Amino acid sequence: MLNKEMLNKIKEYDNICIFGHTFPDGDCYGAQSGLKQFLIENFTCNVYILGSGFSKAIPYFGKMDEVSDEVVKSSLAILVDCSDLERVEDKRITLAKEIVKFDHHLGSDLSTFASINISNTQASSASQMIGEFIIDNGYILSKEVAERIFLGMVTDTGRFQYLTSSKGTFALLEKIMEAKIDFQKIYDFLYESDERSTRAKGYISYSFKTYKKIAYIVLDKKTLKELNIDANYASTMVNCLSLMKEYPVWVMFSENEDGLVRVELRAKKYNVQQVATLFGGGGHLNASGCRLKSINEYQNVLDELLKIVEE
């Protein structure tokens, strides 16, 4: 029902601006660009995707758009993969005539700022939600749309290792395969490495520390500079610490140049989202993130994680 309502709402507007969260990942970009491509193929409205995008995919699926404040003010804002306005990357979303939302994070159903709030915490990704929105409204996924949806699904599930529910995910994958996508192309650009990345991963794998059942690494500005990577790039390597049977929870702390610390929390079976929330973040049960004002605060996060491990 809400998918039909969302489609009717989209049809009311000549300008559509699609927003995402800060530090956009493959799912955020996949949902934004997949929805944009679908709307371009089927409607006459002007469609724009705002933010910095997912750098690995932009050469293949298109760059982000630059629009004026006037365009935003005349538009329907569609927020994807984000549950609250604080985490939206382009803050001009509040200028839009109206805001609607697709999101799969815990607590997203409680949001009150969107006139239409489509929330599904059982979905693998926001990209899955966009794919289901398209199919539920009677459209067929084109190859171009399906590839973007697949990008978001494969990145947000860790190549389908982390699934809250598999039924809807694999039903949509069947439709995506029918579109004859080039999934090998997507895997190639997602997981291709280089010397810089390989050396950084080696450092993380060798230098991590442990705290009871938690594996963690603290990457301050000096260390990141020596590794020739930044905090955002480092955060994508959190799973270098994954799958050790002794440490079912793993964490990465990486310090930005401005001193703020990006924290990535992961677990096999524990609810790390509740810890991320304590520090102003959020995410999924087994994969969440937050920010710290100082690198010296990392022990506070470890102490809170230890509580859930020892419950």
Side-chain angles (χ1 to χ4, degrees), residues 20-39:
H21 58 71
T22 56
F23 306 117
D25 54 12
D27 183 30
C28 183
Y29 175 80
Q32 285 182 287
S33 60
L35 181 57
K36 175 183 177 179
Q37 184 65 29
F38 164 71
L39 295 176

Side-chain angles (χ1 to χ4, degrees), residues 85-155:
L85 293 177
E86 184 177 349
R87 293 189 65 240
V88 179
E89 185 174 26
D90 191 325
K91 301 302 183 185
R92 295 181 299 166
I93 189 171
T94 57
L95 300 178
K97 279 190 172 181
E98 190 174 357
I99 302 173
V100 294
K101 180 168 71 68
F102 292 93
D103 187 49
H104 67 127
H105 294 97
L106 294 172
S108 183
D109 57 323
L110 302 177
S111 298
T112 58
F113 61 85
S115 61
I116 301 176
N117 180 16
I118 301 182
S119 173
N120 181 5
T121 59
Q122 296 301 303
S124 70
S125 55
S127 295
Q128 176 181 327
M129 295 178 68
I130 298 301
E132 291 171 342
F133 161 74
I134 293 169
I135 291 169
D136 286 353
N137 279 299
Y139 294 88
I140 296 174
L141 295 174
S142 70
K143 178 176 180 290
E144 291 73 18
V145 172
E147 286 186 337
R148 290 162 170 82
I149 298 300
F150 182 77
L151 165 70
M153 293 174 69
V154 76
T155 52

Side-chain angles (χ1 to χ4, degrees), residues 11 22-23 29 34 45 53 98 141 169 212 238 259 288 311:
K11 289 177 179 179
T22 56
F23 306 117
Y29 175 80
C45 54
E98 190 174 357
L141 295 174
T169 302
K212 301 294 179 66
V238 61
S288 289
E311 282 181 353

